[in-house]
Amino acid sequence: MAKDNLAKYRRSIMIAYICMFFALFTVFTSIFAYFFAKKIIAANDAEVWLQAQAFWVMRNSLIYFIVMIFASLWFIPLYFYYWDTYIWVTACTVIGVVFVLIAFLYLLNAWIKGISKFIKNKAVF
C-alpha cells in the first residue's frame, strides 16, 4: 500500500510540475499546480522530500501568481484609448513588461531547479 501511495504522490508532483511549466504561458495553470501540490502537503504518509517538492511548487506558484497580478496592474492605463498619447502610459507599459519578464524568468528558474531535483529524488530546498 505504501508503494502505491508513493507512486500516486510522485505522479501528483509530476502533474504539478507540468502545470507549473504551462503557467509560463498562462497564469491560471499555476493555480492548478498549487492545488496538486497541496494534496501532497495534506497527506500524512508522504516522504519528506516529496513534501519539500510540494512546498517548492506551492511557494513558487503563489509568488509567480502574485507577481503576475502586480504586473498586470501596470497595463490598466492602456485600456483608456485617449490616455495613449501621454508618456506616463508608455512608462507604465514598459514597467509592466519588465515585471512580466521578471516573473517569467523567476518561474522558469524555479521550474528547472525543482524538476532537476525531482528527477534525482532529492529535496529542492
Side-chain angles (χ1 to χ4, degrees):
M1 184 73 174
K3 289 204 179 240
D4 294 335
N5 284 341
L6 181 63
K8 185 174 73 171
Y9 296 151
R10 286 181 55 85
R11 189 175 330 119
S12 184
I13 291 292
M14 182 53 75
I15 292 171
Y17 273 117
I18 291 169
C19 289
M20 196 172 164
F21 177 74
F22 286 129
L24 292 169
F25 308 111
T26 176
V27 176
F28 297 109
T29 55
S30 69
I31 297 169
F32 293 130
Y34 180 86
F35 284 113
F36 276 115
K38 188 177 177 185
K39 266 187 354 186
I40 306 300
I41 299 301
N44 290 332
D45 56 343
E47 293 182 356
V48 174
W49 72 272
L50 280 173
Q51 286 183 337
Q53 290 283 340
F55 274 129
W56 179 258
V57 170
M58 287 175 64
R59 182 186 81 133
N60 289 311
S61 295
L62 188 63
I63 290 172
Y64 176 71
F65 189 75
I66 290 170
V67 172
M68 286 302 284
I69 294 297
F70 181 73
S72 69
L73 293 176
W74 290 98
F75 293 107
I76 290 174
L78 287 176
Y79 178 74
F80 303 102
Y81 181 73
Y82 55 91
W83 282 359
D84 199 28
T85 58
Y86 297 114
I87 193 76
W88 66 270
V89 175
T90 306
C92 286
T93 305
V94 170
I95 292 170
V97 168
V98 167
F99 277 116
V100 166
L101 287 174
I102 288 170
F104 180 83
L105 292 175
Y106 173 77
L107 190 67
L108 183 65
N109 182 37
W111 182 78
I112 290 171
K113 185 176 180 183
I115 199 77
S116 67
K117 294 287 186 167
F118 178 73
I119 291 170
K120 297 175 188 174
N121 294 339
K122 296 191 181 233
V124 74
F125 287 110

